[in-house]
């Protein structure tokens, strides 16, 4: 993920915070939620806490934040929901978003550099600095913070938490999807096994796809591939890697960088961060340089 700007917060203007606590976080680790809330309340000039019961209330709380800086307490899907909502409202550029990671799916928040402990993460919200990060936006107005992978790959942890094919992370997700997620947390928290990488539902073996980067074909339909990944890189460019099907000797990956990536071919599913989508016949992702701001530990 590219960082294009960093701005320190003035100690002369203490923050007014809107703390939105995702229901999955409350059920997964109520103690961490309580600690984060106490640290934020003690350190900010003013703190308003919202406890939404579902995605509609979550969205409503963000829409009504006023001048308060939003702080999401939740896992990867809560962060994606918040960024997606602010993007659709065309308010992402002017909003600094903060995050305290709590919940069963935290791979993305770790990759972004957010602290894992409740105290450290809450202190970073209060004392950290905003960093502008690149964003992938697809042709259906969906957002990607970390990576796109074709075919989709899920972890055992994600599958238990309900993030396989058909799982909803957008603000319009039905409430019963949240209930299924919460019910699955007992299994997630009880398991001490390391995460296992598996194919997500609907994933297949080698696929035939056309991958174009800034209009130039990187691989065409006549060459089967084992996988494609697209990630935000540096300087407003996406990094694309195509792994051709190996026959005999292992084939070297094909790589390219560009601002626009189009994948087309037979209907395929893809994993964007924590969510599996599709099937689609074509999808285009465009890099938005420095499109969103996240509070990260200073230095």
């Amino acid at each position: 993920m590219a960082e294009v700007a960093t701005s320190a917060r003035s100690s002369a203007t203490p923050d007014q915070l809107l703390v939105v606590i995702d229901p999955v976080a409350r059920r997964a680790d109520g103690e961490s939620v309580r600690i984060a809330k106490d640290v934020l309340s003690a350190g900010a000039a003013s703190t308003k806490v919202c406890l939404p019961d579902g995605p509609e209330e979550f969205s409503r709380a963000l829409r009504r934040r006023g001048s308060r800086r939003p702080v999401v307490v939740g896992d990867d899907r809560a962060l994606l929901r918040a960024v997606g909502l602010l993007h659709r409202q065309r308010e992402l550029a002017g909003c600094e978003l903060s995050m305290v990671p709590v919940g069963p799916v935290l791979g993305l928040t770790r990759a972004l550099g957010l602290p894992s402990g409740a105290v450290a993460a809450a202190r970073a919200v209060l004392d950290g600095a905003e960093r502008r990060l690149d964003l992938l936006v697809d042709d259906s107005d969906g957002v990607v913070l970390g990576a796109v992978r074709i075919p989709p790959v899920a972890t055992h942890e994600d599958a238990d938490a309900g993030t396989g094919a058909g799982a909803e992370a957008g603000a319009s997700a039905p409430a019963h999807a949240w209930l299924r997620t919460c019910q699955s947390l007992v299994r997630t928290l009880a398991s001490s096994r390391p995460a296992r990488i598996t194919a997500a539902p609907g994933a297949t073996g080698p696929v035939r796809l056309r991958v174009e980067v800034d209009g130039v074909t990187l691989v065409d339909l006549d060459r089967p591939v084992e996988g494609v990944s697209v990630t935000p890189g540096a300087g407003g460019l996406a990094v694309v890697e195509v792994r051709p099907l190996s026959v005999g000797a292992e084939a070297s990956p094909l790589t390219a960088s560009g601002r626009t990536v189009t994948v087309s071919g037979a209907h395929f599913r893809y994993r964007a961060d924590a969510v599996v989508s599709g099937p689609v016949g074509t999808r285009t992702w465009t890099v938005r340089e420095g499109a969103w701001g996240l509070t990260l530990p200073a230095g």
Side-chain angles (χ1 to χ4, degrees), residues 21-211:
I21 303 176
D22 187 78
V24 174
R26 302 201 302 267
R27 291 169 174 83
D29 190 350
E31 180 64 12
S32 290
V33 169
R34 183 192 65 77
I35 292 171
K37 185 172 61 174
D38 288 349
V39 173
L40 293 171
S41 297
S46 173
T47 302
K48 179 179 179 181
V49 177
C50 293
L51 305 172
D53 288 327
E56 291 183 4
E57 292 184 11
F58 184 99
S59 301
R60 189 180 306 118
L62 280 182
R63 285 196 303 269
R64 296 178 178 177
R65 67 187 182 280
S67 61
R68 292 178 179 272
R69 176 160 59 104
V71 181
V72 176
V73 180
D75 67 359
D76 291 355
R77 287 165 298 160
L79 177 61
L80 289 166
R81 187 175 300 113
V83 173
L85 174 68
L86 293 168
H87 167 73
R88 289 189 296 273
Q89 293 175 344
R90 302 301 183 253
E91 296 178 353
L92 194 56
C95 179
E96 177 186 349
L97 190 62
S98 299
M99 179 80 181
V100 177
V102 178
V105 184
L106 300 175
L108 174 61
T109 58
R110 285 194 294 266
L112 289 169
L114 290 164
S116 57
V119 174
R123 293 305 313 175
V125 169
L126 298 171
D127 304 329
E130 180 190 27
R131 299 187 190 178
R132 303 302 301 182
L133 305 172
D134 289 358
L135 186 70
L136 291 176
V137 179
D138 68 34
D139 48 7
S140 69
D141 218 24
V143 300
V144 183
L145 310 184
V148 175
R149 302 195 186 281
I150 309 168
V153 176
T155 65
H156 173 73
E157 174 186 64
D158 290 347
D160 279 349
T163 59
E168 298 287 346
S172 61
H176 61 75
W178 286 49
L179 292 176
R180 289 199 303 271
T181 299
C182 296
Q183 291 166 353
S184 71
L185 292 178
V186 173
R187 296 194 302 275
T188 301
L189 296 172
S191 175
S192 59
R193 294 172 296 174
R196 182 176 69 251
I197 301 297
T198 61
T204 60
V207 293
R208 294 181 181 270
L209 298 169
R210 177 181 293 115
V211 180

Side-chain angles (χ1 to χ4, degrees), residues 223-247:
R223 188 173 186 184
V225 301
E226 294 181 341
V228 178
S229 67
V230 184
T231 58
L237 298 177
V239 177
V240 184
E241 180 180 282
V242 177
R243 299 184 303 282
L245 177 64
S246 299
V247 179

